[in-house]
Amino acid sequence: MNSKPIIVLVRPQLGQNIGKAARAMLNFGLTELRLVAPRDGWPNPEAGPAASGADEVLEQASLFDTAQQAVADCSLVFASTVRRRDLVMPVVGPEEMAKRIADAPGRIAILFGPERSGLETEEVALANAIVTVPINPQFGSLNLAQAVILLAYECSRNAALSQPTVKETEARAPHGELEGLIDQLNSELDAKGYFHPPSRTQATKNTLRTIFTKPGWSSREMKAVRGIIRALAGPARNRGKT
Amino acid sequence: MNSKPIIVLVRPQLGQNIGKAARAMLNFGLTELRLVAPRDGWPNPEAGPAASGADEVLEQASLFDTAQQAVADCSLVFASTVRRRDLVMPVVGPEEMAKRIADAPGRIAILFGPERSGLETEEVALANAIVTVPINPQFGSLNLAQAVILLAYECSRNAALSQPTVKETEARAPHGELEGLIDQLNSELDAKGYFHPPSRTQATKNTLRTIFTKPGWSSREMKAVRGIIRALAGPARNRGKT
């Protein structure tokens, strides 16, 4: 299930922050924005430029008088705030929130309070759980757009779990190619008188093997390294001719 | 192991964004900031106000001329960028990056490019892997501070979870040693006429760099490889004598 939460900004103060929140949302595929009594009215001319192209989110934003109305159709609601002493309710981190969102049927909302003061107690109480981003206790300074982007990221992260993860770009070469490289290296080094004294030869060869096994080179890389060994060991090529 | 990466901003344009990055870092407990040739010099009076109190990060920031110098003491380097067609190197998501950071001995850096243009190919090639935040393909618009906060968040997230895991047996060599090896290899190969035609030289050097960055060799291994290069490129030693 790939449920996408609705972002609800309660009494946001600055149009700029509404725009930044829209941009943060769209970066992680969230498109539904609800605004509860924005201080400077709506639409707000300062929102557009700050959205850096996320205009569709702003244009489709819907307006409500109260947080309660804004979440009326939602069956799962989170309140983004620090832990509240005045309320006994579950507190989850972003990861747990994303997990619950992914598993939930119905509509889901995340409430964010005004920049300066945060959500009122009554608004937090609308939620099923508080979500708190664990930040540096000596320096808690997360602004509205940052809180939105971190929670939006966490939701998309979870949605992406079902996708193939990013792989290393090239497969390791088959072991036979590694053997070929090591043989070549040993024979070129032998020709240069590298393995000396004879009593140490096997130990040195073992070391070389571990060093050249470690990279996990692809066939392409292996081929390049063999070319390098050949070039280093051979005579200088005359670059002037053909 | 709670390894904290160094954040390296390469040629950042706006002082404001340096401040925002510092704030994003400190929110998740990262304190070491390195600046490579900031466009408007350093210190920059616009950075402080944007840092919203993260002044200690700005005050301790250190200044470098090149990205290469900025990561010289680091044994694990990530480049924050989209996938590059011009380089064959591992691409990981933020979660995998955080996992590798948690397991790594030695110093770790994450490189971020200039706001408008991003990192140059040669700078990306300094890294062990590219880290890409998976964003909405129809709307990719992550700014510098947002990229920093998401990766910093992911690292702190992991640090909180992280239990002792199986460690690498030997620490990766600092990046400066890798540079020494690559310099030696380039100069020996150049003497052999390997870099031909000249129009392909830079691309070939980028490929060599990624191939020799991949292994994550320790100082001991690095030294052995340098000995091998020397032996291959030099004249045959007469084993009969002394």
Side-chain angles (χ1 to χ4, degrees), chain A residues 27 136 153-154 166 192 221 234, chain B residues 27 91 136 153-154 192 234:
Chain A
N27 265 321
N136 182 353
Y153 165 70
E154 195 65 65
V166 187
K192 298 285 187 175
E221 291 166 331
Chain B
N27 265 322
V91 179
N136 181 355
Y153 165 70
E154 195 65 64
K192 298 285 187 174

Side-chain angles (χ1 to χ4, degrees), chain B residues 149-173:
Chain B
I149 204 170
L150 288 171
L151 296 186
Y153 165 70
E154 195 65 64
C155 290
S156 80
R157 218 169 147 279
N158 206 277
L161 297 173
S162 125
Q163 297 296 320
T165 50
V166 183
K167 291 281 185 297
E168 300 192 18
T169 40
E170 283 185 316
R172 280 167 187 253

Side-chain angles (χ1 to χ4, degrees), chain B residues 24 57-58 63 71 96 98 111 136 143 147 153 174 178 188 190 197 219 228 235 238:
Chain B
V57 175
L58 297 176
L63 201 59
V71 301
E96 174 65 21
L111 294 170
N136 181 355
N143 69 26
Y153 165 70
L178 176 62
E188 295 291 4
D190 198 33
S219 293
I228 289 166
N238 188 334

Side-chain angles (χ1 to χ4, degrees), chain B residues 2-224:
Chain B
N2 186 349
S3 305
K4 292 186 175 182
I6 299 160
I7 300 298
V8 183
L9 304 184
V10 180
R11 297 186 308 283
Q13 301 176 293
L14 299 176
Q16 214 192 23
N17 287 334
I18 301 173
K20 286 180 182 174
R23 177 187 183 177
M25 288 170 61
L26 195 55
N27 265 322
F28 295 103
L30 303 186
T31 52
E32 194 164 349
L33 176 63
R34 294 183 178 180
L35 302 172
V36 176
R39 188 189 67 184
D40 299 335
W42 190 255
N44 181 325
E46 286 176 21
S52 304
D55 303 279
E56 56 173 293
V57 175
L58 297 176
E59 283 158 17
Q60 294 164 14
S62 46
L63 201 59
F64 295 85
D65 290 330
T66 67
Q68 199 165 336
Q69 289 166 12
V71 301
D73 61 344
C74 297
S75 37
L76 181 61
V77 178
F78 292 92
S80 170
T81 175
V82 295
R83 186 187 293 271
R84 305 291 279 245
R85 295 205 175 166
D86 47 354
L87 289 170
V88 179
M89 53 189 288
V91 179
V92 299
E95 193 174 4
E96 174 65 21
M97 178 202 74
K99 217 175 118 222
R100 293 189 187 190
I101 285 175
D103 290 345
R107 311 218 67 194
I108 302 144
I110 311 175
L111 294 170
F112 295 82
E115 290 91 329
R116 204 166 292 267
S117 52
L119 292 166
E120 298 286 338
T121 302
E122 290 69 28
E123 291 159 349
V124 177
L126 292 168
N128 301 92
I130 285 171
V131 57
T132 296
V133 178
I135 53 176
N136 181 355
Q138 271 90 52
F139 180 77
S141 169
L142 214 53
N143 69 26
L144 180 57
Q146 288 173 330
V148 171
I149 204 170
L150 288 171
L151 296 186
Y153 165 70
E154 195 65 64
C155 290
S156 80
R157 218 169 147 279
N158 206 277
L161 297 173
S162 125
Q163 297 296 320
T165 50
V166 183
K167 291 281 185 297
E168 300 192 18
T169 40
E170 283 185 316
R172 280 167 187 253
H175 207 85
E177 292 183 22
L178 176 62
E179 292 298 326
L181 184 151
I182 289 171
D183 284 349
Q184 179 194 3
L185 188 63
N186 282 341
S187 94
E188 295 291 4
L189 285 172
D190 198 33
K192 298 285 187 174
Y194 179 80
F195 296 111
H196 188 75
S199 62
R200 293 285 309 150
T201 299
Q202 191 53 51
T204 305
K205 285 187 174 176
N206 288 344
T207 302
L208 292 192
R209 175 177 286 279
T210 58
I211 288 175
F212 285 89
T213 301
K214 188 174 186 179
W217 281 319
S218 67
S219 293
R220 180 188 61 82
E221 290 166 330
M222 209 71 97
K223 215 171 132 189

